[in-house]
């Protein structure tokens, strides 16, 4: 009774189709997960930029305050602060947009 399993070519085709369908579903899931990971990495990069710009702004304020004079150095600190503040606001705007898309689940 060393039986041989008799599988028709139709059965093999059905099994192959099922495996192909499952592979396609897995590939789609993997793509979606990859997109989510990329979006989260982008969000982290934006948060890191925000923190960096805020730190730079604080450094410029401290440098100008420590110098304490209304001279070219203090003016340069103020100009640098304004430049960094502009970039900081851009990053905050991007974070806000990203947050809205996350909340609405529209990544």
């Amino acid at each position: 009774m060393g039986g041989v399993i008799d599988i028709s070519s139709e059965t093999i085709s059905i099994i192959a189709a099922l495996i192909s369908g499952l592979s396609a579903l897995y590939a789609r899931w993997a793509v979606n997960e990859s997109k989510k990971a990329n979006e989260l990495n982008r969000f982290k990069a934006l948060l890191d930029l925000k923190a960096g710009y805020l730190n730079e702004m604080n450094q410029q304020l401290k440098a100008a305050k420590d110098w304490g004079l209304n001279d070219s150095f203090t003016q340069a600190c103020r100009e640098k602060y304004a430049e960094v503040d502009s970039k900081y606001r851009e990053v905050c705007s991007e974070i806000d947009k990203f947050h809205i898309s996350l909340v609405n689940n529209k990544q």
Side-chain angles (χ1 to χ4, degrees):
M1 304 211 155
V4 174
I5 299 175
D6 186 24
I7 299 178
S8 69
S9 61
E10 188 176 295
T11 304
I12 291 173
S13 296
I14 291 171
I15 292 171
L18 286 172
I19 290 172
S20 295
L22 290 174
S23 295
L25 285 174
Y26 177 76
R28 183 177 177 187
W29 174 82
V31 166
N32 288 336
E33 291 301 310
S34 176
K35 286 179 183 178
K36 288 179 189 176
N38 287 341
E39 289 298 317
L40 289 174
N41 284 335
R42 180 174 174 253
F43 187 61
K44 179 165 179 356
L46 287 171
L47 290 175
D48 290 344
L49 276 172
K50 179 182 173 182
Y53 287 141
L54 190 58
N55 183 47
E56 179 66 23
M57 289 164 47
N58 286 332
Q59 291 296 329
Q60 293 302 322
L61 284 175
K62 185 178 182 307
K65 180 182 173 193
D66 288 346
W67 198 261
L69 303 173
N70 198 9
D71 60 359
S72 61
F73 176 77
T74 304
Q75 183 60 32
C77 289
R78 289 182 183 136
E79 290 171 5
K80 181 67 176 178
Y81 179 92
E83 177 186 328
V84 174
D85 182 56
S86 174
K87 292 177 183 178
Y88 175 80
R89 290 174 190 273
E90 288 176 31
V91 169
C92 287
S93 175
E94 286 297 313
I95 289 172
D96 288 344
K97 289 177 194 174
F98 189 80
H99 181 258
I100 290 168
S101 72
L102 279 178
V103 169
N104 294 331
N105 200 20
K106 295 180 181 175
Q107 299 175 10

